[in-house]
Amino acid sequence: MIIGIVKEIKSSEYRVAATPGAVTELVRNGHEVIVEHDAGTGSGFTDEMYEAAGAIVADEAERVWTSVDMIYKVKEIFPEEFKYLREGLIIFTYIHSNAHLDQTKALMESKCISIAYEDISDDKGQWPLLSPMSELAGKGGFLAALHFSQTINGGTGKLLANVCGVETPVITIIGCGNAGLGACELAAAFGNRVNVLDINHDAMMDAKKRLPQNVTFMFSNRENLVECMKTSDVIINCVLWPKTRKDHLIYREDLKLMKKGAMIIDVACDEGGAIETCRSTTHTDPIYFVDGVMHYCVDNIPSAFAQTASATLSNATLPFALAIANKGVKQALKDDKHLRRGLTTFDGKLTLLETAKKLNLPYTSADEIVSTF
Ligand SMILES: NC(=O)c1ccc[n+]([C@@H]2O[C@H](COP(=O)([O-])OP(=O)(O)OC[C@H]3O[C@@H](n4cnc5c(N)ncnc54)[C@H](O)[C@@H]3O)[C@@H](O)[C@H]2O)c1
């Protein structure tokens, strides 16, 4: 198979889908890899490193898009890239089809085969291509709070750490999954008083074993959330919000409960999700204020740690990319129900139920499609 790795065009996106090490594996398995010039530079991987790994480096994105069987990338497909979509082309990337109607329609109309990292499942009911990025995003969310709490960056000037002789800051983390634990590890290590709220008792019990005494675990209900809103300097939301839910955990009117100068870091970053006032922001324009409360809602936090993020993402996606390339996409989808869970569009049909419901589009199950192979 010919596999193409393109340079990401999203603003401030520095990750690359495959490291030179991953390219070596693809080439060792008999595949040809074409990498767009400078695709890995933002992650510290030069064209020479890709060439040494056996890839061909192409000057233009167009050359990559038009000469490969599979596009292996990081972020969704942007309108400038729609012209390259074509029947049978395999797109393997984060897609977030429920949030981008124009992209979803373009994928369907082109009849390409698109598989979304974020919807690939595992035997534990987890999302293995999301979790490595979630941990990084949670850690990055705390670091963003640390940065934007500084006076010189528009914050109140409260250092989010335990400093002798002054009141210790309070940080509330909603959700103790991968992102929440990532945020919690750093917030606690800096000596803050950390509250973690979750609805899953077992998840909290597991986390409690690994985290220090300055972390308090609370069941996530309205009463505890209101108490945390009143007392926290920072709220970090790490709840994966179901795509079809219409309610919120924190409503706009709740912002008036919060302390002056408090901030919300919405790592989950679902518009219309757990935080009603969330709207996605970028690394170049990361914060905004609603009713005096600073919001940080960058939807690609891991990109700020591009080298680490590319390496962990590439480690997680490579087994699936290899399966697709080695077996062919149809056989790979047939053999692996978890990969099939990530199938988003095939031959013009939308195969993700959540997206079909949210965008009111016709749905065909991936199992039905695979049964015709
Ligand atoms: N901003 C970014 O750059 C970025 C990057 C990666 C992931 N994310 C997002 O981070 C979010 C979290 O990902 P994750 O892998 O940690 O998810 P996860 O499923 O591992 O964790 C979510 C946790 O939230 C808990 N939860 C569910 N409902 C709750 C409620 N009402 N109150 C409190 N807790 C509740 C769950 O029990 C679970 O423990 C996802 O939405 C993901 O898309 C964002």
Side-chain angles (χ1 to χ4, degrees):
M1 188 176 275
I2 308 178
I3 300 156
I5 296 163
V6 285
K7 187 173 165 64
E8 298 300 321
I9 61 172
K10 184 182 167 88
S11 160
S12 307
E13 179 55 72
Y14 302 109
R15 286 173 293 176
V16 63
T19 61
V23 168
T24 303
E25 285 307 308
L26 291 165
V27 172
R28 275 185 60 233
N29 276 265
H31 307 294
E32 195 175 306
V33 182
I34 306 181
V35 178
E36 185 183 343
H37 163 59
D38 258 354
T41 309
S43 294
F45 307 125
T46 61
D47 289 351
E48 292 71 29
M49 290 162 86
Y50 283 106
E51 278 170 337
I56 296 164
V57 172
D59 279 345
E60 304 275 331
E62 185 174 354
R63 157 102 202 278
V64 183
W65 278 93
T66 55
S67 51
V68 301
D69 305 301
M70 171 161 78
I71 286 287
Y72 188 16
K73 69 192 293 299
V74 180
K75 291 307 285 185
E76 53 268 23
I77 313 296
F78 282 81
E80 303 92 296
E81 297 167 319
F82 290 172
K83 60 178 180 280
Y84 299 128
L85 297 174
R86 61 178 191 277
E87 185 167 354
L89 177 68
I90 304 161
I91 305 285
F92 190 42
T93 190
Y94 286 118
I95 297 178
H96 299 290
S97 52
N98 67 312
H100 305 285
L101 177 63
D102 56 342
Q103 177 200 228
T104 303
K105 284 189 168 164
L107 291 169
M108 290 168 75
E109 279 159 19
S110 70
K111 298 192 170 178
C112 71
I113 302 164
S114 61
I115 303 175
Y117 293 166
E118 70 274 13
D119 292 301
I120 292 177
S121 52
D122 68 14
D123 285 336
K124 290 176 265 163
Q126 308 280 311
W127 310 102
L129 305 196
L130 264 186
S131 48
M133 292 302 104
S134 297
E135 182 192 349
L136 266 182
K139 287 189 156 74
F142 170 73
L143 293 174
L146 199 62
H147 178 84
F148 287 107
S149 59
Q150 296 173 35
T151 320
I152 48 167
N153 297 320
T156 53
K158 193 179 240 189
L159 178 58
L160 300 178
N162 185 337
V163 176
C164 187
V166 294
E167 200 182 329
T168 304
V170 178
I171 298 188
T172 291
I173 297 167
I174 316 176
C176 81
N178 304 293
L181 289 179
C184 187
E185 279 174 10
L186 293 193
F190 273 68
N192 296 288
R193 279 176 47 213
V194 184
N195 301 317
V196 173
L197 283 79
D198 204 295
I199 49 170
N200 182 337
H201 186 257
D202 291 345
M204 288 196 283
M205 284 299 285
D206 285 348
K208 193 167 181 263
K209 290 178 199 144
R210 332 184 343 208
L211 290 162
Q213 295 292 321
N214 54 335
V215 182
T216 302
F217 290 89
M218 300 163 92
F219 190 77
S220 178
N221 57 28
R222 180 73 192 160
E223 188 187 11
N224 285 337
L225 197 54
V226 165
E227 188 53 33
C228 288
M229 273 187 274
K230 288 180 182 163
T231 53
S232 299
D233 298 287
V234 183
I235 292 186
I236 305 181
N237 172 48
C238 299
V239 175
L240 178 62
W241 202 242
K243 289 168 180 162
T244 45
R245 258 178 97 156
K246 299 269 188 294
D247 61 335
H248 313 287
L249 283 180
I250 298 184
Y251 289 83
R252 179 169 184 162
E253 65 186 35
D254 294 333
L255 300 184
K256 59 178 180 293
L257 299 172
M258 294 180 69
K259 292 193 328 197
K260 194 170 169 1
M263 63 172 89
I264 293 178
I265 307 287
D266 193 356
V267 172
C269 201
D270 294 310
E271 292 194 27
I275 310 291
E276 185 179 19
T277 45
C278 164
R279 63 173 167 79
S280 291
T281 59
T282 61
H283 285 294
T284 43
D285 192 11
I287 57 164
Y288 60 94
F289 288 84
V290 179
D291 300 339
V293 176
M294 185 194 283
H295 289 54
Y296 171 96
C297 308
V298 172
D299 64 6
N300 62 339
I301 297 173
S303 177
F305 313 96
Q307 191 165 136
T308 307
S310 295
T312 50
L313 182 63
S314 175
N315 290 341
T317 59
L318 183 64
F320 296 100
L322 273 172
I324 295 168
N326 290 347
K327 300 177 178 185
V329 68
K330 286 186 175 177
Q331 193 60 45
L333 286 167
K334 216 170 173 175
D335 288 353
D336 185 351
K337 65 177 182 198
H338 297 305
L339 182 67
R340 202 153 70 232
R341 177 67 179 80
L343 186 68
T344 303
T345 61
F346 189 97
D347 194 23
K349 299 185 177 69
L350 175 65
T351 55
L352 263 189
L353 185 59
E354 308 93 297
T355 300
K357 277 187 182 162
K358 181 140 186 185
L359 301 183
N360 207 15
L361 290 170
Y363 162 73
T364 308
S365 87
D367 287 348
E368 191 184 324
I369 302 250
V370 166
S371 70
T372 65
F373 294 162

